[in-house]
Amino acid sequence: MNHIVYILHSLKLNRYYIGYTTNFDLRLEFHKNSPSNKFTANANDWTLFLSFDCANKTQALSIEKHIKNMKSKTYIENLIKYPDIILKLKEKYK
C-alpha cells in the first residue's frame, strides 16, 4: 500500500492544500467534487503541486503535520526547489 503526502494548489485562491492518502486518484476526485463544507470546495481549479511516497502511514501523517505546521507558502515552494528537504523529513520521521 502506498502512503502518499500530496500538495494541491489553487490559482483562484492562491492557496495550497496539504493532505495524506493511500489512493491519490480517488482523493483528487473527492477534492474536485468536495461538499460545500470542505475547504477544497472553495475552488475548482486544484492541481497537483507535489506528491511523494512515504514508508508507512505514521511517517506520512507526521510529515503532513510538519508541513501544515510550517504555515508557509515559501516552505512549500522550497520543497520543489530543494528536494533534499523531503529526504530529510523522511529521515526525521522514520
Side-chain angles (χ1 to χ4, degrees):
M1 179 181 294
N2 290 346
H3 299 279
I4 303 163
V5 174
Y6 64 93
I7 301 173
L8 303 178
H9 181 257
S10 166
L11 284 173
K12 177 182 171 185
L13 300 177
N14 191 25
R15 298 277 308 264
Y16 291 98
Y17 177 87
I18 301 111
Y20 157 79
T21 188
T22 56
N23 184 334
F24 181 75
D25 294 333
L26 184 65
R27 193 70 178 140
L28 184 58
E29 271 310 303
F30 172 81
H31 288 304
K32 288 184 175 184
N33 301 298
S34 290
S36 61
N37 64 334
K38 300 293 183 186
F39 173 76
T40 53
N42 294 320
N44 59 1
D45 67 339
W46 294 104
T47 57
L48 180 63
F49 179 76
L50 172 69
S51 71
F52 54 91
D53 289 331
C54 293
N56 54 55
K57 182 177 182 177
T58 303
Q59 181 187 51
L61 291 173
S62 296
I63 292 173
E64 175 196 20
K65 183 178 179 183
H66 172 88
I67 295 169
K68 286 180 176 181
N69 286 341
M70 295 303 289
K71 298 182 185 208
S72 168
K73 287 182 182 179
T74 303
Y75 183 80
I76 290 170
E77 290 162 0
N78 281 342
L79 292 173
I80 290 273
K81 277 187 195 172
Y82 308 106
D84 285 355
I85 295 172
I86 295 169
L87 297 175
K88 289 177 183 174
L89 288 173
K90 287 181 178 183
E91 189 63 31
K92 180 178 180 179
Y93 297 107
K94 277 189 171 180

